[in-house]
Amino acid sequence: MIITISGVPGSGKSTVAKLVAKKVGFKHYSAGDFMREIAAKRNLSLLEISKVAEKDRGIDKELDERTVKLGKEEDDFVMDSRLAYHFIPNAFKVFLYVDAKAAAKRIFGDIRKKKEGRKVEKESTTLAATLSAIRKRRRSEELRYKKYYNIDLFNKKQYDLVVDTTKATPEEVAAKIVDAVKKSCMSC
């Protein structure tokens, strides 16, 4: 079984995906990590690489190909990715959303200093700047996904489970996902 976890920036995709993977004993992959690798190679922030990707289709193509390959060649993994639900159609699809201000607090509070070679994101110097960067990044992604794939990432009808993480802990969200996956597998 493959579980994809999508959602808005700051919703807890990566944290929750790691917890879910641990709970069910699956591997974990992250498109955000893939994107950070590409950004780091170019010495750019996530917002900057997102803006570049609006004009350079190769960035999204590289991410898409990695996701499709994983979906075809592996099983029993959890992937946090905005678009994995689209590229791995046979997955159990989860969407996480969060209030924008709560997202900004989470991202701003998550000091992304040189950890695993990552730099502090230059747009996240203040809480207000972080909120602004989140909104710009979301808009950039909406434009790209509509342009490249003609899809609306935020249409919640395309997911098996939608969870508001604004007031929930990552552990509570992970437990909710694991329960939903177990229930859906009863009919497998």
Side-chain angles (χ1 to χ4, degrees):
M1 166 173 259
I2 299 169
I3 303 167
T4 60
I5 301 179
S6 184
V8 297
S11 61
K13 288 179 310 300
S14 297
T15 301
V16 169
K18 289 173 189 170
L19 288 169
V20 170
K22 187 174 182 179
K23 286 177 179 281
V24 297
F26 288 1
K27 288 179 252 167
H28 169 256
Y29 295 102
S30 174
D33 289 344
F34 299 162
M35 188 68 140
R36 283 181 188 89
E37 288 172 22
I38 294 169
K41 286 178 192 172
R42 296 180 184 210
N43 201 29
L44 299 172
S45 71
L46 277 178
L47 179 57
E48 289 169 331
I49 197 71
S50 290
K51 295 303 270 177
V52 171
E54 288 178 23
K55 295 178 179 77
D56 180 356
R57 175 73 173 93
I59 293 168
D60 281 304
K61 190 171 186 219
E62 182 179 339
L63 292 171
D64 302 345
E65 288 170 357
R66 284 175 93 166
T67 303
V68 169
K69 184 177 180 183
L70 277 173
K72 288 181 178 177
E73 296 179 359
E74 292 193 37
D75 199 11
D76 296 337
F77 67 87
V78 178
M79 182 171 193
D80 64 272
S81 160
R82 301 247 200 287
L83 294 179
Y85 82 92
H86 176 74
F87 291 109
I88 308 174
N90 58 326
F92 184 86
K93 302 167 192 75
V94 179
F95 184 83
L96 305 180
Y97 66 97
V98 64
D99 172 79
K101 289 180 182 175
K105 285 179 187 174
R106 289 177 185 175
I107 291 171
F108 184 67
D110 177 26
I111 308 297
R112 296 185 179 190
K113 292 188 179 177
K114 297 202 177 202
K115 179 170 122 181
E116 300 168 29
R118 289 193 244 169
K119 296 180 181 179
V120 174
E121 295 186 28
K122 51 186 142 188
E123 292 85 13
S124 295
T125 55
T126 66
L127 186 56
T130 303
L131 180 58
S132 176
I134 287 170
R135 289 180 173 145
K136 288 176 185 172
R137 203 166 126 207
R138 180 174 170 166
R139 184 68 185 139
S140 173
E141 290 167 350
E142 283 179 296
L143 292 171
R144 286 192 349 255
Y145 302 155
K146 186 72 174 163
K147 177 180 173 183
Y148 296 154
Y149 315 105
N150 197 30
I151 60 173
D152 176 5
L153 167 73
F154 306 106
N155 177 354
K156 295 172 186 158
K157 293 178 184 175
Q158 57 204 350
Y159 300 96
D160 298 304
L161 178 67
V162 176
V163 181
D164 180 353
T165 69
T166 304
K167 295 181 181 177
T169 67
E171 292 77 12
E172 290 168 335
V173 176
K176 188 177 278 195
I177 293 168
V178 170
D179 287 346
V181 167
K182 285 179 182 175
K183 286 177 186 168
S184 84
C185 283
M186 291 177 153
S187 61
C188 296

